[in-house]
Amino acid sequence: MKTIHVVAAVITDGTRVYATQRGYGEQKGGWEFPGGKIEAGETPEAALRREILEELQTEIAVGTYLGTVEYDYSAFHLSMACYICQVAAGHLTLVDHMAAKWLTADTMESVDWLPADKVVVEWVRTYMGWEAAEPRHEGPR
């Protein structure tokens, strides 16, 4: 199975994180942390800065490495290095994505995350000091 090496930016303002909805490809409509493929000779950090500039027209500062997700999709294996990032210059502007949202501890589960990104959501909760969301109950208690 082919392995695709990508990077993902967990862009945060300190209290929220930025999520984007894919506007193209097989995973169109799914929610993800923005990023993209690492090109030959590129470091993960350089790839992340380039991808965010291309996709969101924004310069970012790449910070803490969260980890690398290894996930098997039906057609390929994804190896996704994830980093905490902050906006350094510019305004987040959608180029390829359908939508975007700033999410908090209470709204992290309000979007339909792509499978590999679900792992990152848990890392983000730990990094941000957010507890897991309380289960919602229907009807009276």
Side-chain angles (χ1 to χ4, degrees), residues 20-93:
T20 53
Q21 187 177 30
R22 285 183 68 93
Y24 54 90
E26 186 177 318
Q27 304 288 333
K28 182 178 180 177
W31 287 81
E32 65 182 355
F33 294 101
K37 291 181 184 173
I38 301 171
E39 293 181 358
E42 244 180 350
T43 65
E45 296 86 353
L48 200 48
R49 285 189 293 271
R50 176 186 52 76
E51 284 286 348
I52 298 305
L53 188 58
E54 289 173 5
E55 291 183 4
L56 297 171
Q57 298 181 345
T58 304
E59 293 179 29
I60 57 167
V62 179
T64 304
Y65 167 73
L66 285 179
T68 299
V69 175
E70 301 290 338
Y71 190 86
D72 287 328
Y73 283 98
S74 59
F76 61 92
H77 175 81
L78 182 74
S79 181
M80 181 169 68
C82 305
Y83 294 83
I84 296 291
C85 301
Q86 286 80 38
V87 171
H91 300 284
L92 296 164
T93 304

